[in-house]
Amino acid sequence: MKEPIIKFENFGFQYDAQAEPTLKDINLEIYPGEKILIAGPSGCGKSTMTHCMNGLIPFAYPGESTGKLTIQGKETKHLSIFEISRMVGTVLQDLDGQFIGLTVAEDIAFALENACVGQDDMKKTVRQVARQVGIGDHLEHSPDALSGGQKQRVSMAGVMVNEVSILLFDEPLANLDPATGKKAIEIIDRIQEETGAAVIIIEHRLEDVLWRDVDRIVLMKDGRIVTDAPPDELLSTDVLLDNGIREPLYLTALKYAGVKITPKCHPRGIRSLTLTEEDKHKVRTWFHARKLAKEKPEGKALLTAEKIDFTYDNGFHALKDINISINEGELLAIVGTNGAGKSTFSKVVCGFEKQQLGTLTFQGQDMKSYSIKERADRIGYVMQNPNQMISKPMIFDEVAFGLRQRNVPESEITAKVEEVLKICGLYPFRKWPVSALSFGQKKRVTIASILALDPQMIILDEPTAGQDYRHYTEIMEFLNELHGRGITVVMITHDMHLMLEYAQRAVVFSGGQVIANDTSANILTNPEIIERANLKETSLYDLSLLCGIEDPNVFVQHFIDYEEEGRDRQAGGAAAQNDRKEEKRG
């Protein structure tokens, strides 16, 4: 009988700085060649369990463990971090924090240099592994010059040179565009097949991971394993939603149509999904019973970009003749491939970069003479990497920083900061240092610091990256509420779910140009735009074709409208409940 390559037995772990254990009574066996997806809400213990497997606990994060953890039959408490690294390779969520070498080749070779491998063997291994992950043509490039997808391939190569038996991927899709994320999952799948390594993926974007089969999904909550089951079994229940994880969109649509999800219909992926004729009929009936919602009238133009052109000092032509109008009170998505110009456009709008050609107007006024501060009074900007924004050691002080710079009275600051911390799910951590937070929690801190300033327009670069479904929903519902009050919200995102669910309109960038300006449904059912902009067709499109629906874009729009109606019903119910509470108090 095959022995497990990783085995947790009644395992628990408590950080020295925490009053309660983070992991409790973990029992888990992972076998050679298995591919496991570990999912769960933020703070459930996924990252802590990963750190226990790769040796960062206890060597980087001290604490006390109970029970037993063995890797390849050896108990980890008797192993050094170097010995563990020879068995377990980790690709971090923060790719920039993993690079050491000045070139791609140097970075891949780092572990081999530590092991004193000879130059000839080292170069041969580096070239071989680089070819495996598709980065062989970039060995002389600096890691800083690579796209997000290329950086991830370098990180994969850097851990593969050790010929490890276990590969850990910590949120590998968090900073990748949809098509690159799809390729990343395909590469991980191919590496697993070629090497026979056990693969463990920690990820919130469950539907994207399931583009390729996994053997089991391990679901965690509050430091415990809630479920450990094959995907077909797990996706036939409501366990994901009950524990704060978004289920695949095609399953949500099937449930709206009254289709019962069972393991027999193979719900683990849209490609494996098997529906009866009765099921397909239910979907078509739901579709034909719906009517398109009335189009909302366009608001007055708030920000207008005309013929914007921008080239970096190194000669990279990032923006080419950009013409965009963003309306008052609009919720807009800006999407496209990595390096398409999305973030550069936002930097030009905020004044961090100066366009060489073209005009930007805000409420009809030319912004040419506006300083960065004057722009910041009108437009808030939340960067993709929270570490580039945070300047204070404590969470409360970071969120209060902008208000204090504006000389707001301290009593008002306290009330405002506590309000936005509650909205962003950070109120329990208000007295914590920022350094104690995860990447996703730091992201929420930066959003809170901008929301505290009440801008007329807010630009968010990947607002939900690294967020679980509950926090994703809380942040987006708050942004939706701001939008409902007339604040303009612009989201730069790779998350097609977010784009479908919340954006009234989407602008698509590719190669520094705007190639589409349309509804999310029309964009994500247009194969030409999807291919040019490295997007990914929504699984709703595939579901509509599977069920014989001739208008997939209309089907997708019906789904969007139905979701919005559901959110409105929930909001209305919550408001009515609050009103009844107020009446009772009165």
Side-chain angles (χ1 to χ4, degrees), residues 138 165 188 207 215 254 278 346 382 392 402 431 516 539 573:
H138 295 75
S165 305
I188 291 171
E207 181 177 335
D215 295 296
L254 287 171
E278 182 184 355
S346 64
V382 180
K392 294 291 181 180
K431 296 181 181 179
S539 58

Side-chain angles (χ1 to χ4, degrees), residues 289-350:
R290 298 282 306 166
K291 291 182 179 179
L292 284 172
K294 291 182 180 178
E295 287 190 20
K296 297 174 182 177
E298 284 191 7
K300 188 177 175 183
L302 178 68
L303 177 82
T304 302
E306 296 181 273
K307 299 185 180 300
I308 298 296
D309 213 272
F310 176 78
T311 301
Y312 284 101
D313 291 341
N314 64 5
F316 178 62
H317 197 174
L319 300 176
K320 306 166 187 174
D321 195 30
I322 302 297
N323 294 279
I324 299 175
S325 184
I326 300 172
N327 301 322
E328 289 182 357
E330 185 174 23
L331 205 160
L332 176 77
I334 297 180
V335 299
T337 181
N338 291 94
K342 307 182 301 295
S343 295
T344 299
F345 175 71
S346 64
K347 290 174 184 175
V348 169
V349 168
C350 295

Side-chain angles (χ1 to χ4, degrees), residues 318-469:
L319 300 176
K320 306 166 187 174
D321 195 30
I322 302 297
N323 294 279
I324 299 175
S325 184
I326 300 172
N327 301 322
E328 289 182 357
E330 185 174 23
L331 205 160
L332 176 77
I334 297 180
V335 299
T337 181
N338 291 94
K342 307 182 301 295
S343 295
T344 299
F345 175 71
S346 64
K347 290 174 184 175
V348 169
V349 168
C350 295
F352 305 147
E353 301 287 358
K354 181 76 172 175
Q355 74 268 22
Q356 284 89 21
L357 296 172
T359 305
L360 282 171
T361 58
F362 192 88
Q363 293 181 318
Q365 298 294 313
D366 192 336
M367 297 174 69
K368 186 176 181 180
S369 62
Y370 286 6
S371 65
I372 290 177
K373 181 188 179 302
E374 288 172 324
R375 296 187 191 215
D377 288 338
R378 298 162 174 83
I379 303 168
Y381 179 54
V382 180
M383 298 172 73
Q384 182 175 351
N385 185 347
N387 296 319
Q388 293 176 344
M389 282 187 70
I390 293 169
S391 58
K392 294 291 181 180
M394 303 302 292
I395 291 172
F396 187 96
D397 293 335
E398 177 62 31
V399 178
F401 180 72
L403 296 171
R404 286 172 175 156
Q405 291 297 305
R406 287 159 174 76
N407 297 315
V408 175
E410 200 65 29
S411 59
E412 294 180 26
I413 288 175
T414 299
K416 188 65 179 179
V417 169
E418 290 183 352
E419 177 191 351
V420 295
L421 286 175
K422 287 175 183 175
I423 289 161
C424 294
L426 292 167
Y427 186 74
F429 313 119
R430 61 196 179 279
K431 296 181 181 179
W432 281 30
V434 175
S435 59
L437 300 183
S438 68
F439 188 87
Q441 289 170 325
K442 287 179 183 177
K443 186 82 172 181
R444 294 207 297 275
V445 169
T446 59
I447 292 174
S449 66
I450 295 298
L451 294 181
L453 303 178
D454 294 322
Q456 292 169 266
M457 173 174 161
I458 182 168
I459 301 174
L460 302 106
D461 200 347
E462 294 293 350
T464 58
Q467 303 297 309
D468 64 33
Y469 184 47

